[in-house]
């Protein structure tokens, strides 16, 4: 009921696609802070849309969860009450099951391999998987690699995770991954994680360096292990209800600006990773560089199981891995 009232309020106060004096305005909401590289890329996206359209098309960006959580924003997109949002691909799993591939361990060799996939025909094909649910992916934003961080126990080998309550996203794949490594996966929303760590609801979490830094989780967790077990990108998503009402030219402006913003975001992300690593070291966080092969071996079974249980998903993972050799 509370969220329904929020939806009604937003639909009344905000038109997702307003037209005033020959200027069409599109609302874009996300849950990140204004100093996050993804927000900066989204501001670049809005700027490029305005420039390409000579001011005829305007993107208004609402950061910091002003219009709701990632899940709530997706629901607003489905209703046509919001034009665009940025979400983790893990959140999109319920609408685009094939996006679960990103949650599996060590499917990318390095960032160049990730970028090659994002720009590939297969990558673009997966972006459109959610259209049947009125959600059109425009582009990927790199979110680096995810690693474990904890309050007390440095994670040097998979056995160090045994019994530890580790926060995960609401993703079956993330839950399976942590279980395969011996941890106790505990879904907690991102906005509630700081308090959950403080109160001992969870003993650690897993995420990328910039998010660990910007969330100030380093104030509680003094151990960061760069095991880099998965790489779960963000996705810029648009409501098909809004997209289908645009002219061919307007669609072109938006897609071109999204593609340019993706390239810009990669540059911003790489800088943010360097800054975050330096900053958390200054804050007294101990950085561990574990043997990744131990984590690969321990978690590889969940990929092998897919060959029999979900061959289509297994084949996508193999296609992604084979991109590295092309």
């Amino acid at each position: 009921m509370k969220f329904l009232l929020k939806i009604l309020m937003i639909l009344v106060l905000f038109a997702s696609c307003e037209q005033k004096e020959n200027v069409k305005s599109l609302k874009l909401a996300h849950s990140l802070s204004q100093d996050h590289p993804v927000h900066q890329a989204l501001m670049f996206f809005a700027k490029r849309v305005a420039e390409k359209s000579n001011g005829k098309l305007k993107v208004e960006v609402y950061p910091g969860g002003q219009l709701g959580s990632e899940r709530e924003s997706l629901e607003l997109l489905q209703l046509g009450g919001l034009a665009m949002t940025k979400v983790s691909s893990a959140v999109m799993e319920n609408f685009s099951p094939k996006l679960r591939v990103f949650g599996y361990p060590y499917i990318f060799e390095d960032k160049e391999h990730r970028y090659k996939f994002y720009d590939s025909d297969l990558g673009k094909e997966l972006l459109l998987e959610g259209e049947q649910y009125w959600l059109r992916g425009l582009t990927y934003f790199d979110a680096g690699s995810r690693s474990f961080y904890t309050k007390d126990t440095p994670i040097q080998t998979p056995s160090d995770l045994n019994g530890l309550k580790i926060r995960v996203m609401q993703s079956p794949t993330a839950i399976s991954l942590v279980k395969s490594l011996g941890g106790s996966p505990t879904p907690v929303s991102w906005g509630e994680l700081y308090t959950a760590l403080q109160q001992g609801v969870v003993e650690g979490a897993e995420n990328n360096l910039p998010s660990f830094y910007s969330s100030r989780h380093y104030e509680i967790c003094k151990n960061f292990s760069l095991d880099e077990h998965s790489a779960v990108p963000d996705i810029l998503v648009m409501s098909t209800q809004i997209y289908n009402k645009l002219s061919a030219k307007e669609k072109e402006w938006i897609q071109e600006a999204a593609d340019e913003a993706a390239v810009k975001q990669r540059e911003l992300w790489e800088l943010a990773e360097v800054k975050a690593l330096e900053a958390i070291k200054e804050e007294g966080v101990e950085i561990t560089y574990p043997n990744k092969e131990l984590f690969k071996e321990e978690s590889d079974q969940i990929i092998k199981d897919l060959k029999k249980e979900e061959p289509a998903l297994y084949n996508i993972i193999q296609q992604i891995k084979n991109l590295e050799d092309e």
Side-chain angles (χ1 to χ4, degrees):
M1 179 63 72
K2 184 177 179 182
F3 180 54
L4 179 60
L5 291 173
K6 181 186 288 188
I7 290 176
L8 292 174
M9 179 182 71
I10 291 173
L11 290 175
V12 171
L13 296 179
F14 297 98
S16 62
C17 183
E18 298 176 345
Q19 183 133 12
K20 297 179 181 178
E21 300 177 358
N22 297 319
V23 177
K24 189 176 290 185
S25 179
L26 302 172
K27 304 291 190 296
L28 189 165
H30 67 84
S31 59
L32 299 171
S33 63
Q34 294 184 47
D35 60 354
H36 196 283
V38 168
H39 172 74
Q40 294 165 10
L42 290 172
M43 295 303 293
F44 176 84
F45 166 71
K47 177 185 176 184
R48 292 300 290 138
V49 169
E51 291 172 347
K52 289 175 181 294
S53 67
N54 290 319
K56 295 178 182 178
L57 195 58
K58 180 181 180 183
V59 176
E60 298 179 15
V61 182
Y62 293 82
Q66 294 179 50
L67 302 187
S69 66
E70 289 196 338
R71 180 76 187 209
E72 290 168 345
S73 293
L74 284 177
E75 292 174 0
L76 285 172
L77 259 67
Q78 291 177 304
L79 292 170
L82 182 67
M84 286 176 273
T85 190
K86 185 290 305 175
V87 297
S88 168
S89 61
V91 178
M92 282 286 288
E93 286 181 12
N94 293 321
F95 309 101
S96 306
K98 290 181 181 178
L99 292 175
R100 288 166 50 206
V101 297
F102 297 120
Y104 285 91
Y106 301 104
I107 63 172
F108 296 110
E109 291 296 323
D110 49 35
K111 67 182 178 185
E112 286 74 23
H113 187 190
R114 294 199 303 270
Y115 297 166
K116 191 172 185 178
F117 170 75
Y118 298 158
D119 298 334
S120 71
D121 290 340
L122 177 59
K124 293 173 183 177
E125 180 184 318
L126 292 187
L127 280 175
L128 302 181
E129 281 287 308
E131 282 197 308
Q132 60 182 317
Y133 298 104
W134 308 286
L135 301 169
R136 181 185 179 89
L138 296 175
T139 193
Y140 297 101
F141 285 149
D142 188 34
S145 295
R146 300 178 75 88
S147 294
F148 291 109
Y149 55 91
T150 55
K151 295 173 68 174
D152 301 311
T153 307
I155 307 302
Q156 298 177 326
T157 67
S159 62
D160 293 324
L161 285 163
N162 287 345
L164 287 185
K165 292 178 290 183
I166 301 295
R167 179 266 178 181
V168 294
M169 296 178 284
Q170 287 282 359
S171 159
T173 315
I175 291 171
S176 296
L177 173 57
V178 172
K179 278 185 178 178
S180 74
L181 294 170
S184 177
T186 308
V188 176
S189 71
W190 181 246
E192 297 174 353
L193 180 52
Y194 188 98
T195 301
L197 287 165
Q198 271 186 323
Q199 297 177 349
V201 175
V202 291
E203 298 161 278
E206 49 91 49
N207 215 317
N208 54 60
L209 281 166
S211 294
F212 175 68
Y213 175 58
S214 64
S215 63
R216 304 184 73 86
H217 290 170
Y218 60 81
E219 294 177 345
I220 307 169
C221 296
K222 294 300 183 180
N223 301 286
F224 196 101
S225 174
L226 278 166
D227 64 289
E228 299 182 317
H229 51 264
S230 64
V232 181
D234 287 329
I235 298 178
L236 177 57
V237 186
M238 186 167 188
S239 165
T240 58
Q241 297 197 45
I242 306 301
Y243 181 84
N244 292 338
K245 293 176 183 178
L246 299 178
S247 69
K249 199 64 183 175
E250 289 169 334
K251 292 176 182 177
E252 184 180 316
W253 291 332
I254 286 175
Q255 189 60 59
E256 286 180 354
D259 292 341
E260 292 174 15
V263 175
K264 180 69 173 179
Q265 189 268 342
R266 293 173 192 176
E267 299 171 2
L268 293 167
W269 186 264
E270 290 182 22
L271 293 172
E273 284 188 321
V274 173
K275 176 184 176 182
L277 185 58
E278 292 176 351
I280 63 174
K281 284 180 179 178
E282 292 178 1
E283 293 291 338
V285 175
E286 180 182 344
I287 310 299
T288 301
Y289 296 87
N291 182 351
K292 295 179 187 178
E293 290 302 318
L294 297 177
F295 289 83
K296 286 182 182 179
E297 291 169 7
E298 195 74 18
S299 60
D300 191 49
Q301 188 60 46
I302 62 174
I303 294 180
K304 291 178 179 177
D305 290 342
L306 283 176
K307 191 170 184 178
K308 181 184 293 185
E309 298 170 359
E310 296 187 64
L313 200 60
Y314 178 83
N315 288 336
I316 292 174
I317 291 176
Q318 299 314 305
Q319 289 180 65
I320 292 174
K321 290 185 173 182
N322 290 338
L323 275 176
E324 180 68 3
D325 300 324
E326 293 180 1

